[in-house]
Amino acid sequence: SGDSSDLVAASLSSLGIPVTVLKNEDVTLDTLTKLNQYSIVTLTTHGYTDDTKTFIFSGELYTAQKASTQPYQSYMNLGFVSPCTPSWPSGAQPHFCVNSTFIGFYARRPSVPNGFPGTVFVTDACDSFVLTDLEQAFLSNGAGAFFGWTASVSTVIGAEVMKDLVDVLTTQTNGAY
């Protein structure tokens, strides 16, 4: 049992692949600007779409006070970030959510000349592949692959499928990533 990040981390570690696990409040907007330093990224979070964009939740709680400071205010003014409240569990607090524009912007910074060079993104978030904008934000900036969900998914099924997917990806390449 466990969420997909636990299962994927155990699977990769068993192959001798170095793993960094960041969870909950450690997955800040700042953390999400640095995804280019990893070969495989699993994003286990809530997700949703509006008519034009896909949003994924950070682990960073939204407060009006924080939103009025930099860089949050700029992110929100540019439409990169918005406050989002998960539909479950009941009484969940709002978080900062990022969209494909945020991902694309940070992949094209001068300090990140190659974007996401060959990185595989496994996105265990509901509706993360309903629209293609999130996929395109990663792939058009060098990612090797993007996996997501075209509907809502339970955490149990999501965890098992994501672990199996990473197992297949790493086994088929003899651990090369």
Side-chain angles (χ1 to χ4, degrees), residues 54 100 128-129 131-141 143 145-147:
T54 304
S100 54
S128 53
F129 203 26
L131 304 174
T132 61
D133 64 307
L134 191 59
E135 172 202 29
Q136 288 306 309
F138 289 114
L139 295 179
S140 67
N141 287 292
F146 176 87
F147 298 92

Side-chain angles (χ1 to χ4, degrees), residues 158-175:
E160 288 298 324
V161 169
M162 293 299 158
K163 180 208 171 285
D164 290 347
L165 174 61
V166 170
D167 283 349
V168 167
L169 290 171
T170 54
T171 302
Q172 296 299 315
T173 60
N174 296 318

Side-chain angles (χ1 to χ4, degrees), residues 7 13 19 21 25 30 41 65 99-100 103 126 129 149 174:
L7 295 172
S13 292
V19 174
V21 176
E25 62 278 350
D30 184 58
V41 175
Q65 180 180 0
N99 60 39
S100 54
I103 300 297
C126 292
F129 203 26
W149 294 103
N174 296 318

Side-chain angles (χ1 to χ4, degrees), residues 1-9 11 42 44 122-125 149 153-167:
S1 73
D3 68 28
S4 60
S5 61
D6 294 329
L7 295 172
V8 168
S11 180
T42 62
T44 303
V122 180
T123 309
D124 189 8
W149 294 103
V153 64
S154 77
T155 54
V156 173
I157 292 171
E160 288 298 324
V161 169
M162 293 299 158
K163 180 208 171 285
D164 290 347
L165 174 61
V166 170
D167 283 349

Side-chain angles (χ1 to χ4, degrees), residues 6 12 17 19 47 82 85 99 105 119-120 124 127 134 154 163:
D6 294 329
L12 293 173
I17 297 171
V19 174
S82 62
T85 303
N99 60 39
F105 177 80
T119 302
V120 174
D124 189 8
D127 302 325
L134 191 59
S154 77
K163 180 208 171 285

